[in-house]
Each structure stands twice: as C-alpha cells, then as structure tokens.
Amino acid sequence: MNSALQKRIEKARKLIDEHDYFRILTHYDADGICSAGIVARYLLTKGKRFHVSFFRNVEKTKILKILKNEENAIITDMGSSFVDEIKGNIIVIDHHKTSRDNDEVVHINPHLFGYDGATDACASTLAYYLVDDPTLASYALAGIFGDKQYLNGFKGLNQELIKKLSLKVERRLVLYGNILDAIVYSTEPFFPGLSGRRENVEKLLESLKIPSSKDVESLTDEEKIKIGSYLSLNLIKESRAPSAGRYIVDVDINLGGSIRYLTELIDSAARTDNQSIALSYILGEDAAFEKMELLRKEYKSKVIKAIYKILENHFENNHLIYFFVEDSYLTSTVATIASLYLFSPDNVVISLYRDKMLHISARCSQKIGKKIHLGDILREISQSLGGFGGGHSVAAGATVPVDKEREFLSLVERRIEKSLS
Ligand SMILES: [Mn+2]
C-alpha cells in the first residue's frame, strides 16, 4: 500500500481513538454490510458505541441531514460522490470512482491513491486495512467476493491483503452443503433446467448414482468429477454464454468455511432486507448463521423464478439485452447473473424495474468494459433525463423518471453502438 493512503488510514484510526460514539452509514449490499460490520466490530472491541443505518441508494439529502445531527460519523461503501459537501469528524471509506477529495473529513478512496476501485479494493478491503484484525478477514473477503473483485484474479490491495494473511486461493466446485439442494438453489452458475427444478436434479443424481443425501464436501473425487462435468456440459449446451461452463469450478478461499458461501449468505440477507441479521453475525452472533441460510434459500428461489422468466422474455438489440424484473432487489443480482451465465459476453445486459421511477442496473464483461465505461454512460444519460446514476466500468446503476424509459434505452443503445462498432 502506498504511504499516502497509509497516512489517511492512520488519520482515520486517530479520529476513532478520540471519540466514543460513531454513527455508521453504509450501502445495503454485501460489501456495504461487511465494511460497516468490520468497522463496528472494531469500535466494539475498543469499547465504543455505534449506530448503523443501511441505504439502498445514495440518498444524499437524507444522509446530509443525518450528518448534521451527528458529532462523529463513518460512511462506508458510499460517500465519495458528495465528499466535498460534508465536514467534521467524518470518515468516508468508499471505492466508487471519484476525483473529488476534501481535507475537512478523512476520505479513504483507492482512486485518489493510484488504485482502481473497481478491481483493486472494495470498501471492505479498506475497512480491513483500517482495523487490521485477522479475526475479521473473512468479512473483508466476503466484501471482495460480493463486489465480484475476484474475477480475473485478485489485484492491488486485495492481492496484498491475501498475501499479508498468507491465504490460499483455491479452485473448487462452486456448490455447498447437500448436493441436491446445492444444485436446486444454484444461481451462480444458473443451470437451465436444473436450478429450481428439484425433480430434474433428483433424476440426474439417480442416473449418476450419487446419493442425493450426500454433502458436496463428502463426495468422492470420482463423484465430484462426474457431477462437475455433467453440470459444465449443461452450461455449455443450455446457456448462451459459451464460457459459462468454466464457472462450475471457480475461485474460493477457505477461511473457517467457504468465503463464496459466506458471501452468498450475507448477500441474501441484504437482498431480503435483513441486513441487520448479517450485521449481527459479523458482530459475533453465531445463531444468525442459520437464519441467513434460510434467507438464502428464500432469496435464491425468487431469483431462479425471475431468471426463467427472463430467458423466455427479453429484448435484444445488436450489443444490448434488456429485461424487466418484478422485485427491486432483484434488479442488480439478475443483471449480474444474466451477464455472466445467461448471455454472450459481447452484450451489455440491462435489468429494469419500474415503480414511480425506472431503476436500471447494467452489467458487461471485462472484455467490453475495456472499451466502454458503463458508470460514465449511465451517469451522463440519467442526468440528462433528470435522473441520477453511475458506477464502475463493468457494473453500474441509474434511476430516471419512469416516463423517460424509451428515451433512456435508445440513448444507451446509441452510446454502446457507437463505442463498440
Ligand atoms: Mn462496494
């Protein structure tokens, strides 16, 4: 880590040492929960008090109002976009693209120090460097996995963290627990015809002579190869993402259990509006684990239902695929899954949800992300239509007035077409 960033982090530690109570404001997703949880746990061990609030969107007006009434605050996984509008005893730990900075608060963002916040560090990585407590490492990793920063290898501060903790990055079958449930509830990868189709999975296991009561961890090597190759074949044959088959074995880290699985649990709590259950687990409440497992099944069932609908019903243009979802929490999850596992990596995938506003979540492959910056595109277009948005090169979001739907889509289509042809 470079010394300028190190200095900022020390400044943040000093600010924490000087005060007894902090209001913590964070984004609601896995990286948001983990970064806030890491910081909260740190405060707890130092005998300090805190109050955590989760935000679905960066609701600037609401956040500024809260900050006005707080002496000390820590904002994680957001905040950089309005950092020049705040001052006081505030620590901002964010990794979203920015060039804004402000000496009147402690602003920790990798973009200001020569790192790329899309690949080199997420909020949880930075929170970990702040607390430097190996017992909290699994949550830093869950944040990294949650923000998909393991794709194409760990880089920057993420890689440094893994080295510092001497962790072994392995490749494994990305299924967990009971083999039958593992396939039935799998969304990453999503197995067309098997995910959400219990009877089909039962038949498959029977034909492969694998007892459906077995746990993935207790399968013999031969059984693992049998089921693994069947499933990757299923992906190659049934999915339109030719590379989807390779995801059946993927990167994981074993640190008191699979980090990928822990990430799914925290993410499911986040997306069923049970952020506090995941937070309580990070704070040491072991019983929350089982609750998260139930929430995972509940959430995965919803996601799977939505995916079958999308496969039947989506709109397709040259480099753009878009579809609607019926639950606002599904918008970004389903966009990610569709981009990785359902459609060709030559497409930009856009997931839409309508209420009083149109909520947009866009994803593309790293390959396309080298030619276009979805965050910039969505920010510019949404702002021109009276909305807001932004994000990373390969993952972004926006919100525009619902009557601007057609205009929004045609502007995005034109921008993408222009950049990719
Ligand atoms: Mn994040």
Side-chain angles (χ1 to χ4, degrees), residues 148-359:
K148 296 276 186 280
Q149 294 196 344
Y150 65 91
L151 292 172
N152 299 310
F154 295 96
K155 296 187 180 77
L157 297 173
N158 294 330
Q159 192 186 28
E160 264 182 51
L161 181 72
I162 285 166
K163 228 173 135 186
K164 186 170 129 126
L165 294 163
S166 315
L167 296 172
K168 213 176 101 209
V169 178
E170 49 184 29
R171 296 181 63 79
R172 60 159 280 175
L173 208 53
V174 293
L175 300 168
Y176 321 96
N178 171 263
I179 181 67
L180 175 62
D181 278 353
I183 301 171
V184 170
Y185 291 104
S186 181
T187 61
E188 300 189 42
F190 173 82
F191 302 112
L194 294 173
S195 294
R197 303 284 188 261
R198 183 169 287 270
E199 271 174 39
N200 295 353
V201 181
E202 279 168 346
K203 269 188 222 149
L204 167 67
L205 291 172
E206 208 179 290
S207 73
L208 297 175
K209 300 199 167 48
I210 297 174
S212 62
S213 58
K214 263 192 160 182
D215 271 4
V216 177
E217 290 72 20
S218 65
L219 295 179
T220 64
D221 284 346
E222 194 195 333
E223 285 170 334
K224 273 187 196 163
I225 291 169
K226 246 194 318 195
I227 191 70
S229 39
Y230 184 91
L231 291 173
S232 48
L233 208 62
N234 163 278
L235 288 173
I236 292 164
K237 282 197 322 213
E238 306 292 335
S239 122
R240 284 176 49 196
S243 59
R246 75 187 163 103
Y247 293 116
I248 180 67
V249 171
D250 208 347
V251 170
D252 201 354
I253 291 173
N254 190 341
L255 187 62
S258 156
I259 292 297
R260 277 184 93 102
Y261 186 58
L262 176 67
T263 308
E264 285 199 1
L265 294 179
I266 294 173
D267 182 62
S268 302
R271 290 172 202 278
T272 50
D273 240 338
N274 288 287
Q275 295 88 359
S276 57
I277 291 180
L279 180 69
S280 70
Y281 180 68
I282 297 175
L283 293 177
E285 173 79 49
D286 290 342
F289 194 82
E290 264 176 53
K291 285 187 200 156
M292 290 196 294
E293 287 195 305
L294 289 175
L295 293 172
R296 175 177 173 269
K297 286 191 173 172
E298 185 188 304
Y299 184 62
K300 295 267 170 181
S301 305
K302 251 189 184 172
V303 171
I304 288 165
K305 227 170 121 188
I307 291 174
Y308 280 115
K309 242 186 193 160
I310 288 163
L311 287 173
E312 272 177 24
N313 198 358
H314 60 265
F315 302 88
E316 218 169 325
N317 285 318
N318 271 339
H319 291 288
L320 183 63
I321 286 175
Y322 67 91
F323 48 77
F324 289 88
V325 297
E326 285 165 16
D327 175 333
S328 68
Y329 274 111
L330 291 174
T331 325
S332 63
T333 309
V334 172
T336 303
I337 294 172
S339 166
L340 281 174
Y341 309 109
L342 304 184
F343 300 113
S344 150
D346 293 325
N347 292 301
V348 171
V349 168
I350 289 187
S351 166
L352 303 156
Y353 171 74
R354 280 189 199 120
D355 53 19
K356 277 176 279 169
M357 302 289 270
L358 179 73
H359 303 274

Side-chain angles (χ1 to χ4, degrees), residues 27 29 31-32 77 94-96 122-124 143 147 392:
H27 191 217
D29 72 357
D31 185 35
D77 203 23
D94 195 4
H95 66 121
H96 293 90
C122 61
S124 305
D147 272 6
H392 309 295

Side-chain angles (χ1 to χ4, degrees), residues 352-418:
L352 303 156
Y353 171 74
R354 280 189 199 120
D355 53 19
K356 277 176 279 169
M357 302 289 270
L358 179 73
H359 303 274
I360 302 127
S361 197
R363 297 287 182 277
C364 70
S365 61
Q366 303 266 357
K367 187 176 134 197
I368 291 201
K370 289 201 175 94
K371 297 182 201 159
I372 60 176
H373 195 286
L374 283 181
D376 291 346
I377 294 178
L378 256 56
R379 190 185 61 249
E380 283 160 31
I381 293 176
S382 61
Q383 280 175 359
S384 78
L385 297 173
F388 56 89
H392 309 295
S393 59
V394 296
T399 300
V400 297
V402 76
D403 59 338
K404 296 282 194 272
E405 182 182 307
R406 298 197 91 170
E407 225 176 322
F408 173 84
L409 285 168
S410 74
L411 284 171
V412 170
E413 199 189 330
R414 231 181 296 159
R415 271 291 290 275
I416 291 170
E417 207 49 51
K418 214 174 115 193

